[in-house]
Amino acid sequence: QVQLVESGGSSVEVGGSLKLTCTASGSISGFTGMSWYRQAPGKTRDLVATAFSSGSTHYVRAVKGRFTISRDNLNRVIHLQMNNLKPEDTAVYYCNADYGAFERFEIWGQGTQVTVSS
């Protein structure tokens, strides 16, 4: 099974930028969606953005205009460029891959911590 490894998490000040990378151990071209989720302390794990195999992308309202997801099937990576970071962006960020025609399967990375301080 393909494994996902996140990197790039760090501590940054309000208004700063970070770029997260998710590297897959195998091909990602067959995955329907490659997504970033995040989980803040005491909260649920929520979707942030998705890059679909079709080339389209989806962002939740809270990050639209500030975050950009990109998918590179050739190099088996996805990125999340995060600009104008806010304290509420503080969370563990997880990479996710989903696939399956009739039943949905998922693969998760181990997460990377992003901390935004004022």
Side-chain angles (χ1 to χ4, degrees):
Q1 188 182 33
V2 172
Q3 294 182 324
L4 305 175
V5 178
E6 302 94 334
S7 61
S10 183
S11 295
V12 64
E13 293 185 349
V14 170
S17 297
L18 279 177
K19 185 174 184 178
L20 304 183
T21 297
C22 172
T23 303
S25 61
S27 174
I28 65 171
S29 59
F31 294 139
T32 305
M34 295 291 301
S35 303
W36 288 97
Y37 284 73
R38 66 186 180 186
Q39 187 168 19
K43 296 192 175 181
T44 58
R45 188 176 298 187
D46 297 325
L47 177 67
V48 175
T50 301
F52 295 99
S53 57
S54 64
S56 62
T57 56
H58 168 76
Y59 299 91
V60 298
R61 183 179 300 178
V63 307
K64 194 171 291 186
R66 299 189 298 123
F67 291 11
T68 302
I69 189 171
S70 59
R71 174 173 176 166
D72 182 348
N73 288 343
L74 181 63
N75 291 302
R76 304 178 304 185
V77 296
I78 64 167
H79 300 289
L80 185 68
Q81 176 66 47
M82 306 185 294
N83 298 326
N84 190 22
L85 283 160
K86 304 175 180 181
E88 52 264 42
D89 295 318
T90 295
V92 178
Y93 283 71
Y94 295 91
C95 181
N96 169 280
D98 70 86
Y99 62 99
F102 303 102
E103 183 178 352
R104 187 170 186 263
F105 298 94
E106 294 183 291
I107 302 172
W108 290 93
Q110 85 290 346
T112 186
Q113 176 70 48
V114 171
T115 303
V116 184
S117 58
S118 56

